[in-house]
Amino acid sequence: MSRTTAPSRRLVRRLPLIGGVAAGSVLLLAAPAFAHVSVQPGQAEKGGYATINFKVPNEQDAASTVKLEVTLPADHPLASVMPQPVPGWKAEVTKTKLAKPIEMHGKKIDEAPSKITWTADGGKIGPGEFQQFPLSVGKLPEDVDQLVFKALQTYDNKDVVRWIEPAKEGAEEPEHPAPVLKLVAASGDGHGAGAAGAAGAKSASTQNASGTGSSDNSDTTARVLGAIGILVGIVGVAFGVLAGRRRSA
């Protein structure tokens, strides 16, 4: 029987460690980044109406989301705000007196919606799930490039996550960024963004009816990479054990 050379023996002893490190590295890279409460789609046309969705992921492993509060921008009030019914959730629109009345369709409006609250009414967002809350808004301002919404996400264990931190250009994204709707120049009659938003709302409505949303492609990729990492680690350990037995023999 031929003896294994010293370099080969050292390589065999290191293989389990290499396999374990590879598995850990793959799992680390595969870990999905935390999702945020966001506005979908991310942009709408200035001066028009749009249907937007607040996408709310559940980030806790042992608690469910049961409430979402979205504060509308006070510096650019929206005269028309209508939530689309979401099965298992109750929506409430809070209005506030305006310091300066705004004009809409030839009429002066002295109050406007300031907050939308969705409260679980038989529904919830469980671990590993997300929910979309459609909202029709307008008339969108023409003198700004974005609208910032502040959101509070409440879990059934009483935890409250405050998505209220403004993002600054050139700086790293804050830990709890506020949802932002980008505003772009109108391409026609100002209703193009609304049509795109309506398509998004239809998709959200289908997901709402089922009670759960489908996982993002990134989540699927993460799971696949994680499985590969675990397999690499197992193969490395097994190879090391077999090699050890051969040396003993």
Side-chain angles (χ1 to χ4, degrees):
M1 182 185 300
S2 60
R3 293 185 178 181
T4 306
T5 62
S8 298
R9 287 199 299 270
R10 286 197 295 269
L11 176 60
V12 168
R13 286 197 296 267
R14 291 176 182 175
L15 280 176
L17 176 60
I18 295 172
V21 171
S25 299
V26 172
L27 287 174
L28 180 61
L29 293 173
F34 286 120
H36 307 318
V37 172
S38 60
V39 179
Q40 306 289 333
Q43 69 177 37
E45 293 184 356
K46 297 180 179 181
Y49 294 79
T51 299
I52 60 177
N53 303 280
F54 285 94
K55 183 178 180 180
V56 183
N58 191 94
E59 295 186 343
Q60 296 202 12
D61 296 328
S64 298
T65 298
V66 293
K67 188 177 182 181
L68 174 69
E69 300 170 78
V70 176
T71 299
L72 305 175
D75 52 346
H76 293 91
L78 301 171
S80 176
V81 175
M82 295 184 293
Q84 177 177 313
V86 177
W89 294 80
K90 181 175 67 174
E92 180 182 359
V93 180
T94 301
K95 293 187 176 182
T96 300
K97 197 81 171 179
L98 297 176
K100 181 180 179 181
I102 58 178
E103 188 172 325
M104 183 176 179
H105 302 305
K107 296 182 180 180
K108 285 192 175 182
I109 300 174
D110 59 1
E111 69 173 10
S114 57
K115 184 171 71 172
I116 312 294
T117 303
W118 286 272
T119 306
D121 186 19
K124 64 179 180 179
I125 310 173
E129 299 176 346
F130 74 88
Q131 182 74 54
Q132 295 199 74
F133 298 93
L135 200 65
S136 174
V137 297
K139 187 177 181 181
L140 296 174
E142 301 181 65
D143 56 348
V144 293
D145 294 325
Q146 66 178 25
L147 291 178
V148 179
F149 303 87
K150 295 183 178 181
L152 302 182
Q153 180 180 9
T154 302
Y155 288 86
D156 56 10
N157 62 359
K158 308 304 180 183
D159 283 353
V160 178
V161 182
R162 300 168 61 85
W163 303 98
I164 63 173
E165 299 176 45
K168 297 181 180 179
E169 188 175 354
E172 291 186 3
E173 183 181 60
E175 184 177 0
H176 298 102
V180 175
L181 176 66
K182 300 289 185 181
L183 299 179
V184 298
S187 58
D189 58 4
H191 295 287
K202 183 177 180 181
S203 174
S205 180
T206 301
Q207 294 166 345
N208 293 337
S210 66
T212 60
S214 61
S215 299
D216 293 335
N217 291 335
S218 60
D219 293 337
T220 301
T221 302
R223 292 191 184 96
V224 172
L225 290 176
I228 292 174
I230 293 173
L231 181 59
V232 170
I234 292 174
V235 171
V237 172
F239 191 88
V241 171
L242 292 175
R245 288 180 179 177
R246 289 177 181 175
R247 288 198 307 273
S248 299

